[in-house]
Amino acid sequence: MRGTTAAMGLAVLAVVAAGCDSGDSPSAKKTTQPSNTTSATPTSGAGGVALTTYRSLWAAATKAALTSDYENPELREYAHDDALAYFVGSNLNNKEKGLVAKGEPVIAPRVVAEAGDKVTVADCVDGSNWLKYRLSDGKLADDVPGGHHRAEATVTRTTVGWRVTHLTIEEVGSC
């Protein structure tokens, strides 16, 4: 399976997470990521806002995944459409199975296209240290290792601000 849309879910990275969004607290905005970005990646304008939104979504998703909080309001702050459905669905699925995610994904997003109110972001999400654990005993849920997943997101200016509206995450080893 080459490219799976976020709405369909990705068992391994699906993360294990879920949730993200809103949250004005500094801790909700914190992500683990390389500090260097390619020179083609803008730091201001629509591209800069899109990167901030994308990073904030992953920070919120990581936070929500700690408790499989599918109702985390931060999800709606940074995601919409199928990207929101992906993170809500992943967390709900994990909650129903008694699973949570521990650790953090490592992201290194870059802008690859900008067209008015839409920005395309490419990434290689490293989920090696972001794994599912059982709440019942605190042990790893399975023996599926995390890994590197190629990701592509569309970040769109909506009536309520910039949101990740589409997210495609590919299988382990795709980047």
Side-chain angles (χ1 to χ4, degrees):
M1 163 172 17
R2 186 72 186 126
T4 303
T5 62
M8 296 168 129
L10 180 65
V12 176
L13 191 60
V15 218
V16 190
C20 88
D21 233 345
S22 165
D24 297 16
S25 71
S27 63
K29 307 269 187 207
K30 181 184 172 201
T31 59
T32 301
Q33 59 196 347
S35 59
N36 58 350
T37 56
T38 65
S39 58
T41 299
T43 56
S44 62
V49 173
L51 287 174
T52 298
T53 301
Y54 179 85
R55 287 181 181 115
S56 297
L57 174 60
W58 279 103
T62 302
K63 179 181 171 186
L66 285 170
T67 60
S68 295
D69 182 6
Y70 62 93
E71 295 178 313
N72 185 318
E74 291 181 39
L75 288 171
R76 285 155 189 82
E77 182 71 25
Y78 305 111
H80 191 59
D81 294 340
D82 73 334
L84 176 61
Y86 172 69
F87 286 110
V88 168
S90 295
N91 279 318
L92 179 58
N93 185 46
N94 287 340
K95 175 78 99 192
E96 290 171 347
K97 292 179 179 179
L99 303 174
V100 295
K102 295 182 183 180
E104 294 184 11
V106 177
I107 62 171
R110 60 189 170 79
V111 170
V112 294
E114 251 183 273
D117 289 345
K118 288 191 179 204
V119 176
T120 303
V121 174
D123 197 356
C124 180
V125 179
D126 180 358
S128 299
N129 295 311
W130 197 33
L131 304 173
K132 293 182 186 183
Y133 290 81
R134 292 187 299 261
L135 278 173
S136 62
D137 60 10
K139 294 184 180 181
L140 275 171
D142 54 39
D143 61 355
V144 177
H148 294 81
H149 304 261
R150 182 183 179 284
E152 185 172 287
T154 303
V155 185
T156 307
R157 184 188 327 227
T158 70
T159 58
V160 293
W162 288 88
R163 301 290 188 270
V164 176
T165 54
H166 179 76
L167 180 64
T168 300
I169 301 173
E170 295 185 11
E171 69 278 354
V172 173
S174 53
C175 61

